[in-house]
Amino acid sequence: MTVRFFSFGEGSMVDTFYAIGLVMRLCQSISLLELLHIYVGIEPNHLFPRFLQLTERIIILFVVITSQEEVQEKYVVCVLFIFWNLLDMVRYTYSMLSVIGISYAILTWLSQTLWMPIYPLCVLAEAFAIYQSLPYFESFGTYSAKLPFDLSIYFPYVLKIYLMMLFIGMYYTYSHLYSERRDILRVFPFKKKKM
């Protein structure tokens, strides 16, 4: 007799997009308001790094995953949703409490540290989602277009260029987040244990 405490069946990860895809699209669309919050000064973050992060997600979710039904069934979609939600849960809780003047040392540390392993994994998962989608964009011709004067846009090439830009953007965003982390944790009053 085998007892299983956790069981991810074949269909549970594959059906992730069908179960929560609409909610994820709605939440990611609403997250664009964060750019407005930064612009008007409600949130004290820098606009460009956050713009890069949100653009990554919007392109992956709406262009790569939503447009190709075959990609929606890939395990990478579940992994992406877990990573995105884990980061957002901590970051938005921290941001919301910071705006109203409440801070907890553990939440500050978690918000400024959790992204370090997870963000690169997100970018790798996003890159893998693009890689897995390329055959479908090639065979279906989605977003590819024939232009006048014998010009055309072959969307798989656009995705391959975006794939390279994804890693350049990750380097920029990671560098910015790391310096922001250093500045925030340097001034945050952590109590040290006396030995």
Side-chain angles (χ1 to χ4, degrees):
M1 180 175 170
T2 304
V3 177
R4 291 186 180 180
F5 293 101
F6 260 99
S7 177
F8 285 111
E10 175 86 19
S12 63
M13 289 182 77
V14 171
D15 291 337
T16 300
F17 187 81
Y18 302 108
I20 62 170
L22 179 63
V23 174
M24 285 299 293
R25 288 181 296 211
L26 179 64
C27 290
Q28 291 305 316
S29 297
I30 291 172
S31 73
L32 291 172
L33 288 174
E34 187 175 349
L35 297 175
L36 178 65
H37 295 167
I38 293 169
Y39 183 73
V40 298
I42 296 172
E43 212 175 314
N45 290 331
H46 288 61
L47 186 62
F48 190 64
R50 194 64 197 130
F51 171 78
L52 287 176
Q53 286 179 304
L54 290 174
T55 303
E56 276 176 24
R57 290 185 183 190
I58 295 296
I59 289 172
I60 297 299
L61 182 59
F62 286 95
V63 176
V64 175
I65 297 172
T66 302
S67 70
Q68 299 297 329
E69 193 170 329
E70 293 78 11
V71 177
Q72 296 168 10
E73 299 170 353
K74 303 290 184 188
Y75 289 107
V76 72
V77 173
C78 181
V79 171
L80 273 173
F81 286 2
I82 289 169
F83 285 157
W84 287 349
N85 287 314
L86 183 62
L87 287 173
D88 285 349
M89 186 174 55
V90 172
R91 188 170 52 82
Y92 286 131
T93 303
Y94 169 77
S95 294
M96 180 187 67
L97 291 174
S98 293
V99 165
I100 59 174
I102 299 172
S103 63
Y104 295 102
I106 189 69
L107 186 59
T108 301
W109 180 85
L110 194 58
S111 172
Q112 297 303 318
T113 307
L114 183 65
W115 62 266
M116 292 175 78
I118 305 268
Y119 180 62
L121 292 173
C122 281
V123 173
L124 285 174
E126 290 167 0
F128 191 66
I130 291 171
Y131 175 76
Q132 286 190 319
S133 73
L134 285 173
Y136 304 110
F137 281 105
E138 289 170 354
S139 64
F140 299 134
T142 310
Y143 301 127
S144 294
K146 194 86 163 145
L147 300 174
F149 308 113
D150 285 336
L151 296 174
S152 63
I153 297 174
Y154 186 59
F155 197 68
Y157 289 155
V158 174
L159 281 177
K160 289 174 185 176
I161 292 168
Y162 177 72
L163 201 53
M164 291 184 293
M165 292 171 50
L166 189 65
F167 289 102
I168 294 168
M170 181 191 84
Y171 174 77
Y172 174 80
T173 302
Y174 198 92
S175 299
H176 171 76
L177 289 173
Y178 187 78
S179 68
E180 185 179 86
R181 175 186 189 271
R182 187 182 59 236
D183 294 343
I184 289 173
L185 294 183
R186 182 183 308 139
V187 298
F188 196 82
F190 287 102
K191 292 184 180 179
K192 296 182 181 177
K193 290 184 180 180
K194 294 181 181 179
M195 298 251 176

